[in-house]
Amino acid sequence: MQSSGLYWQLAQRLRRQQRSARKGLGFLSFITTASTVGIALGCIVFIAGLSVMNGFEEVLEKRFLSLIPQVEFTAVDGQLNDPAGLVAQAQAFPGVRMARRVIRTQAMLQKGTEFLGVQVNGIDLEVEQAISGYTSSTALQALAEPNRVLLGANLAARLGVSKGETVTFLVAIANSFRQPRRVVLEVAGIFGFGGQVDLQQAYVSLPTARKLVGLEQGVSAVELVLDDVFSAKQITNDLGRQLQEYLYLDSWMRTQGHLYRDIQLVRLVMYLVLMLVLAVACFNIVSTLVMTVQEKHRQIGILRTIGLKQGGIIRVFVWQGIQNALRGVSIGVVLGVLFTLNLPTIFTAIQSMSGTSLLNGEVYFIETIPVLLDYQDVVFVALCALVMGALATIYPAWKAAKLDIVKAIES
């Protein structure tokens, strides 16, 4: 019974003969190199693509969803009956990291003849707020004073206002702007998150928000910050069933879930396309082994006469194909990891040379390509390429094992 080491050594010998016989087997050598390069390129693109998708998902989860309500319970009649009780009940629920009182309303912002629609967020400055990471502590302190507002950088630039100037907010009364409530607020500071958020959001304190919407006390909603943002839908439903008050239940999965679904759709398409790329590269392994079988009839016949069985021949050619794939995978994984780690630098260099911004900060909330290298993805890509390379060896290995011994030696 031959050991696996023998089959591996025989496969290595066949590969060395291919490399040393370039003149006689030039086309075979080219096909072998093409299969190696194809597998390497497939691994590089696969690793980089998955890392970019991971990066976008991380930005969505840890940055974008820090400002967008993950779960929100809003009063049906405009004011919560017991906001303190709702906050306490929500914070005691498993998976909820924090519950905050808020007042949200839609308003028109006026500066001179310029009108812009914005969402005004009345926030509780006594608890931690995500917006504190995108503005100065001085601006947040100033926001606590009456009739102050925090504007996004794009919104302030659009209106041509800066800190200390005043703007007028028009809030509809009874869902009508015919006689809106007008409130003049002073700009306490500017926040810079990026993208459309800067153009569509404004922040005020809870007392100022009550003045805008006409509430004497209380709040209109409670928002939740979750340990796992992807459990938002389940927590919304489970916690909502326990609440006694009639509320509107909402989560980011409904309002912004299309962003996550788009990322997953792109990831799925990438899986399919890159699997096809690897399949085409592995097909070259089939061509290589078929041509090797044709060129090595005599050697195969000799191996059979000295006692190597059909199963052994199959193993030799399977190992040869795996060695070809392993070389491409090794090169692809190393270069793929290096390329992925340097992708943001490459992306920035391309933007500098082209003079254009590929990710416009005024449209998107990021200006450089996000990358998150997950080594589980690297292992997955390597295993997929090796498995496909091994499957590609089955047919030519079977053909080699079925050769007639006498005809093989005489050829």
Side-chain angles (χ1 to χ4, degrees):
M1 180 177 180
Q2 294 87 358
S3 65
S4 299
L6 175 62
Y7 304 134
W8 179 269
Q9 292 174 6
L10 289 173
Q12 281 185 320
R13 185 177 181 84
L14 288 176
R15 290 188 70 247
R16 284 196 298 266
Q17 288 177 353
Q18 288 178 8
R19 292 198 299 267
S20 63
R22 292 183 181 273
K23 292 183 179 179
L25 302 174
F27 185 69
L28 176 59
S29 177
F30 171 77
I31 292 296
T32 304
T33 303
S35 66
T36 301
V37 172
I39 293 174
L41 288 176
C43 290
I44 292 171
V45 177
F46 213 161
I47 291 171
L50 290 178
S51 298
V52 170
M53 291 299 101
N54 292 339
F56 276 110
E57 189 172 318
E58 183 185 43
V59 169
L60 172 67
E61 178 181 353
K62 295 185 177 180
R63 187 161 185 230
F64 184 67
L65 293 181
S66 66
L67 285 188
I68 302 300
Q70 298 173 14
V71 172
E72 190 168 51
F73 299 129
T74 306
V76 174
D77 58 358
Q79 182 175 347
L80 293 175
N81 296 331
D82 184 18
L86 178 56
V87 168
Q89 187 174 358
Q91 288 181 332
F93 195 83
V96 177
R97 185 188 308 166
M98 181 188 300
R100 298 185 290 224
R101 300 177 302 157
V102 293
I103 296 175
R104 301 193 199 279
T105 186
Q106 301 296 322
M108 296 293 293
L109 198 160
Q110 179 185 7
K111 179 64 177 179
T113 59
E114 186 82 16
F115 288 86
L116 288 175
V118 296
Q119 176 175 284
V120 182
N121 304 281
I123 58 177
D124 186 356
L125 297 175
E126 296 180 357
V127 299
E128 180 184 355
Q129 297 289 335
I131 192 63
S132 61
Y134 305 101
T135 188
S136 64
S137 58
T138 304
L140 283 178
Q141 293 174 359
L143 191 64
E145 299 179 16
N147 300 327
R148 299 294 181 92
V149 63
L150 197 65
L151 298 181
N154 292 339
L155 182 59
R158 178 78 172 270
L159 296 172
V161 298
S162 58
K163 180 180 178 180
E165 297 187 54
T166 59
V167 290
T168 301
F169 282 84
L170 287 75
V171 182
I173 300 177
N175 297 323
S176 174
F177 270 101
R178 292 183 178 179
Q179 292 181 340
R181 179 180 292 107
R182 292 175 176 267
V183 179
V184 178
L185 302 180
E186 180 181 336
V187 179
I190 307 295
F191 71 89
F193 180 81
Q196 294 299 301
V197 174
D198 283 4
L199 191 61
Q200 299 172 349
Q201 304 284 332
Y203 290 85
V204 298
S205 64
L206 285 179
T208 303
R210 293 190 185 103
K211 183 176 180 180
L212 282 171
V213 300
L215 286 179
E216 294 183 2
Q217 59 182 1
V219 295
S220 61
V222 168
E223 70 169 348
L224 310 183
V225 180
L226 309 180
D227 294 326
D228 179 13
V229 296
F230 299 106
S231 64
K233 186 175 181 180
Q234 181 179 354
I235 289 179
T236 301
N237 295 332
D238 293 345
L239 181 56
R241 294 189 189 99
Q242 300 180 9
L243 302 178
Q244 302 300 318
E245 187 175 353
Y246 288 106
L247 301 168
Y248 292 119
L249 310 181
D250 207 356
S251 72
W252 75 270
M253 294 295 290
R254 187 189 70 81
T255 59
Q256 306 293 336
H258 62 280
L259 295 175
Y260 177 72
R261 290 189 291 271
D262 289 346
I263 293 174
Q264 298 307 311
L265 178 60
V266 173
R267 186 194 295 271
L268 176 61
V269 172
M270 185 175 297
Y271 272 115
L272 296 176
V273 171
L274 294 177
M275 281 297 183
L276 291 176
V277 171
L278 287 176
V280 171
C282 290
F283 182 78
N284 288 329
I285 294 178
V286 179
S287 304
T288 300
L289 293 181
V290 168
M291 295 179 65
T292 301
V293 171
Q294 292 176 349
E295 295 289 340
K296 302 296 183 182
H297 278 189
R298 188 176 184 84
Q299 289 88 334
I300 293 171
I302 293 173
L303 289 174
R304 290 297 309 280
T305 58
I306 63 176
L308 196 63
K309 298 180 180 180
Q310 287 185 339
I313 296 295
I314 291 176
R315 292 185 185 183
V316 169
F317 280 91
V318 167
W319 280 124
Q320 184 184 355
I322 291 177
Q323 287 173 5
N324 289 339
L326 187 59
R327 185 183 179 189
V329 169
S330 301
I331 297 172
V333 166
V334 173
L335 295 181
V337 170
L338 293 176
F339 176 72
T340 300
L341 294 176
N342 291 280
L343 192 56
T345 303
I346 297 172
F347 186 83
T348 304
I350 292 175
Q351 289 190 133
S352 299
M353 290 186 293
S354 63
T356 58
S357 179
L358 302 179
L359 287 175
N360 192 338
E362 295 183 358
V363 179
Y364 309 99
F365 50 91
I366 52 175
E367 294 184 352
T368 185
I369 192 166
V371 171
L372 176 61
L373 182 62
D374 187 346
Y375 288 96
Q376 290 183 349
D377 288 338
V378 176
V379 174
F380 172 76
V381 171
L383 289 178
C384 284
L386 287 175
V387 169
M388 295 179 71
L391 292 176
T393 66
I394 294 176
Y395 173 73
W398 177 80
K399 290 289 290 183
K402 291 299 182 180
L403 287 177
D404 184 88
I405 298 177
V406 176
K407 292 182 179 179
I409 294 176
E410 292 177 348
S411 61

